[in-house]
Amino acid sequence: MDQNLQIVALAGGVGGAKLADGLARVLPSEQLKIIVNTGDDFEYCGLYICPDIDTMVYTLAGIANPTTGWGRADESWRVHEERIRLGSEAWFRLGDLDLAWHLERTRRKHSGESLEAITTWQTRAFGVKPGVLPMCNEPVQTKVITRGQKILDFQEYFVRLQCEPEVSGFVFHNAETAKPLLAAIEAIRAADLIVICPSNPWVSIGPILAIPGYKEALTGKTIAAVSPIVSGKTIKGPAAKMYQEMGITPSAEAVANTYHELISHFIIDTEDAACANRIKSRWGIMTVDTNTIMRSASDRETLARFVISFALGINR
Ligand code: FO1
């Protein structure tokens, strides 16, 4: 393994965490930094919830719920069930083990710790070695604009309304005044490769890129993205539905169009191999197909090795 190869991953959500885990399995931990979306963060029942950070840390720690991808494996729901019995608001489900961590993060937040410091503590507490960095320390909230011009908080759209409303746009509230994490900018500057994981381009990667400073730091870097859309569909989550509702046919090509000003390399699934040449000739993006569906830890590793060797021309 190339000793000083430095890689930075941009990720959010379950799919992104899986490829980040693959990268963490093939790289020494000091050679990988992961910048995570925090636009999904919200306050719920007085607790400070950071879903994509927790999904990332739990996945890297090997303790994520294997069915949902979010929350903990081997979870119990005593508090959740009692809250329902009490008639409390319970549309966002917090398991007992998950709750322990939300209580601790909220305590630290109230004591004045930054999200970066809290996340560093969280990675150590869960034995996670690679650097997991929130995209910023300030609260940036992703909001969904519906076709009826209603503005929904992200979790209200994603969980309470089960992604049912038709979207017409997104707002990343406070992104314009948020500051990129210095550690994240330094990691990008030092990186040999940036990997945009197969996360939702709109609401997982979009918020990160909306923070002034990241796009500038990424300019000129070797950046490889893995398409989150295979045969016009997402494995999980509303990315394809969002493209459709925004009047764009969901496809790997649509994702290439979203990222074309940024990326130099694009990895699509074998199901979409036919569009590789079109993407290459239309935007000059080096495009290759492989299996991008990660069903196992070895799939995650295989894809991670493939992305690194394709983008850097190195045999791992
Ligand atoms: N998603 C759901 O669809 N239903 C839930 O009840 C739910 C609870 C939850 C608790 C903690 C957590 O970290 C994530 C949770 N998620 C839930 C997923 C979460 O809404 C999404 O992971 C992200 O916001 C989008 O990737």
Side-chain angles (χ1 to χ4, degrees), residues 287-309:
T287 304
V288 71
D289 70 275
T290 189
N291 168 46
T292 61
I293 316 292
M294 295 173 275
R295 293 186 181 83
S296 65
S298 68
D299 286 347
R300 298 177 185 185
E301 275 187 49
T302 306
L303 183 56
R305 286 184 200 283
F306 182 90
V307 171
I308 296 170
S309 55

Side-chain angles (χ1 to χ4, degrees), residues 54 103 194:
D54 291 354
L103 289 167
I194 313 288

Side-chain angles (χ1 to χ4, degrees), residues 58-59 75 150 233 244 294:
Y58 290 159
T59 301
E75 186 58 279
K150 271 190 67 170
K233 292 187 287 299
Q244 194 69 51
M294 295 173 275

